[in-house]
Amino acid sequence: MFRNLTYAASAAAGLALTSAPAMAQTLDEKVNEMFANSTGWFVNFIFSPFPGTTFPWIVMWLVVAATVFTVYFGFIQFRAFAHSISLVKGDYSDPNDAGEVSHFQALATALSGTVGLGNIAGVAVAVGIGGPGATFWMILAGLMGMASKFTECTLGVKYRNEYEDGTVSGGPMYYLTKGFAERGVPGGKILAVMFSIFCILGAFGGGNMFQANQAHAQISGVVGDYPGWITGIVFAGVVFAVIVGGLKSIAKVTEKVVPFMGVMYVLAALVILLMNADKIGWAFGQIFNGAFTGAGVAGGMVGALIQGFKRAAFSNEAGVGSAAIAHSAVRTKEPITEGFVSLLEPFIDTVVICTMTALVIIITGQLLQDPNTGLYMLDEGGATIQTIDGNKGVALTSAAFSSAFGWFKYVLAIAVILFAFSTMISWSYYGLKAWTYLFGEGHTKELVFKVIFCIFVVIGAAANLGPVIDFSDAAIFAMAVVNIFGLYFLMPIVKAELESYLSRLKSGEIKKYV
Amino acid sequence: MSAKIVVGYDGSEASNRALEFAVERAREEGGSIVVAHVLEWSAYSFLTPSELEERHKRRNEELARAKEALMDPVVAKLADSGVTVETAIKYGHIANTLSDICKDGASQIVIGRDGDNNLGARIFGSVAGSLAQTAPVPCTIVP
């Protein structure tokens, strides 16, 4: 996903700075300064740590929510895992509904919005700071996050708007309004409006500018330095063709290539693990050992825990509410079935893909250890672990994969660009849904949003707008504050749906078609 | 027992030949025919969020178009053929879906082929080829 990865972002920032013309630099600086002054308080508030620690409260907010949902629904992510897979396979789909949106399609589309830079670069940052032990906490948080997704996506389908022409609109803004009204709790409308505002801001920033910026950093890393606005114009043109021009072919190609890239990434990781099969036991030893002792990383065990939790929360968007928008288009009579399907999303994103990145970095020996003590050696600042070539962020992942296959860095660059593009397409949709919720549906209103979105693509790729991106990242997590607050009120509704469905499944009223 | 003959129909010349053939058989045997049209579809394809949102609407439009452009003219044309005509419009993999339609009491299936021996058909197989191998009832391929 998007979350500003300190190192990846600063690397990109460096590139953007050197490539931007002198005048743009001063303009960047002006915009940055203006933005930092007016929004800094908000960013600081969202990402502020608990007093006396370095643990951001927003991460705790997400992890606590995930734990509450896990317990409240009786470890649903484990109980319903096999059933979720049956649903995705279409075992319970009525053949007469063929041609409608399937569970698989809803899941694949939602995944293409979350799988991205976070899985590749973000994990490298987490392991680079928190050591192998961070992987353990990341997996744990990913498993917990499945329950958050389950809750929000069930509600997304249950309270979606279905229009006469057959189109649907769903997401937190709809369940916050309708669900709160149904429960007789006031304030739903206010929460929905807040959610929508944060969602639009997040769509322009983390879901757009940050992606464009990182895509440009990747391309210039491979082909050499050139001005960012060129990348920006090309990307904006393609995005424009898809979201305004309705050019299905490009979207179709991306939507086919992105899952392929994801599968290829995991396969490449598996091959590297097999090539180092003798070290797998050692790697897991490092992960478990590091998780509880810290093995010399900055901040020890707590440092590893913070990095792992942070990475999981930032990567799979569980609790943010964005997935509820994507999942709500599925054709089903039972909203809870989409909840089951959506819980696979953090599993694939975090437990599988993020873990693969971490394992490859660990097993290829990128992180340097003191040969005498076995502890990780820290670099001069004392904050991050020394790596073979001093690589950090996406460069670390690239080096780890390239140590086995030299050509993999090119594949990785293409993957990052495509992931960035598909994340932009997804977020343009999330932002649009929030926009139409606030301003109403209509061709002109929607066009205004889409054009602004494309302009931000160019700005994101060309400029180094750190504070702007920080602000929009903060906006994405502000979505989670509003959304989870609402989920606590609405979770009894999900529980009622769950119990009804499970009893009908047990009695045989709901049965397989194949 | 009266025979029910399924005809795979997509409006092409080949499918019209198959239809004529089937109507003749049905008339001779005093049976009925099912004119079946399958819209190619996979539940495992990838769509963008806005395509997901519009899917139900598009599906209705596609079904309406298939009925108007393909089925209604056929039904009108066969109105005084003396054969009972049913129609079926389904989504799915073409050969598999036609097979599924046959399972609903059909005695045979008739499909046309255009006789092209192109590269695509050689690599991916043709509907006629797959049906010849997988149809649950006797399959007649009309050249």
Side-chain angles (χ1 to χ4, degrees), chain A residues 56-334:
Chain A
W57 70 271
I58 186 71
V59 172
M60 191 52 117
W61 173 256
L62 290 164
V63 171
V64 166
T67 312
V68 168
F69 299 135
T70 299
V71 173
Y72 184 73
F73 294 112
F75 295 84
I76 190 68
Q77 61 267 60
F78 305 113
R79 285 199 290 148
F81 195 81
H83 185 63
S84 304
I85 290 173
S86 300
L87 285 166
V88 174
K89 276 167 60 195
D91 292 354
Y92 291 88
S93 307
D94 186 342
N96 288 323
D97 281 345
E100 302 279 10
V101 176
S102 67
H103 284 302
F104 176 89
Q105 286 163 334
L107 177 67
T109 304
L111 261 176
S112 74
T114 56
V115 174
L117 216 52
N119 303 63
I120 297 170
V123 174
V125 174
V127 176
I129 299 172
T135 315
F136 175 86
W137 299 110
M138 181 181 77
I139 294 173
L140 186 70
L143 290 171
M144 295 288 155
M146 293 163 77
S148 306
K149 279 265 164 138
F150 165 78
T151 315
E152 61 189 9
C153 292
T154 302
L155 291 167
V157 175
K158 186 170 168 67
Y159 292 107
R160 63 185 168 186
N161 273 7
E162 292 184 56
Y163 303 105
E164 274 180 22
D165 67 356
T167 55
V168 288
S169 276
M173 44 288 184
Y174 296 99
Y175 60 70
L176 289 169
T177 336
K178 294 193 210 168
F180 271 52
E182 196 179 297
R183 296 216 61 198
V185 183
K189 184 84 188 168
I190 298 165
L191 288 178
V193 169
M194 282 168 66
F195 178 87
S196 300
I197 294 170
F198 293 139
C199 183
I200 291 168
L201 294 172
F204 285 147
N208 178 347
M209 288 199 288
F210 180 65
Q211 304 294 331
N213 196 294
Q214 291 294 293
H216 174 67
Q218 269 296 309
I219 300 171
S220 50
V222 173
V223 305
D225 219 353
Y226 69 97
W229 58 265
I230 298 178
T231 313
I233 299 271
V234 173
F235 259 77
V238 180
V239 172
F240 187 88
V242 173
I243 66 174
V244 181
L247 194 56
K248 297 274 161 59
S249 50
I250 295 175
K252 280 218 155 70
V253 170
T254 320
E255 299 300 314
K256 281 186 176 59
V257 174
V258 164
F260 172 76
M261 282 303 212
V263 171
M264 191 159 147
Y265 185 76
V266 172
L267 285 180
L270 282 175
V271 170
I272 293 173
L273 295 185
L274 283 178
M275 284 163 61
N276 296 285
D278 54 322
K279 287 198 219 144
I280 291 179
W282 168 83
F284 275 98
Q286 290 293 308
I287 290 172
F288 283 107
N289 191 22
F292 298 103
T293 65
V297 306
M301 175 191 150
V302 179
L305 182 139
I306 292 173
Q307 288 304 322
F309 275 9
K310 224 166 133 177
R311 175 45 29 216
F314 292 168
S315 172
N316 62 37
E317 296 177 35
V320 169
S322 50
I325 304 176
H327 279 280
S328 60
V330 72
R331 197 75 193 164
T332 178
K333 294 177 194 81
E334 304 286 345

Side-chain angles (χ1 to χ4, degrees), chain A residues 89 99-100 102 105 109 429, chain B residues 43-45 47 53 55-56:
Chain A
K89 276 167 60 195
E100 302 279 10
S102 67
Q105 286 163 334
T109 304
Y429 181 76
Chain B
Y44 306 106
S45 57
L47 304 174
E53 173 188 317
R55 187 60 221 152
H56 183 61

Side-chain angles (χ1 to χ4, degrees), chain B residues 4-9 19 32-36 84-88 101 104 106:
Chain B
K4 186 158 111 181
I5 306 173
V6 174
V7 190
Y9 186 76
L19 183 65
S32 64
I33 64 166
V34 180
V35 183
T84 317
V85 179
E86 282 175 68
T87 59
I101 294 171
D104 192 20

Side-chain angles (χ1 to χ4, degrees), chain B residues 84-112:
Chain B
T84 317
V85 179
E86 282 175 68
T87 59
I89 307 173
K90 298 271 183 191
Y91 277 86
H93 179 271
I94 297 178
N96 293 351
T97 312
L98 285 174
S99 293
D100 287 344
I101 294 171
C102 292
K103 283 171 191 158
D104 192 20
S107 61
Q108 60 167 308
I109 178 165
V110 180
I111 44 163

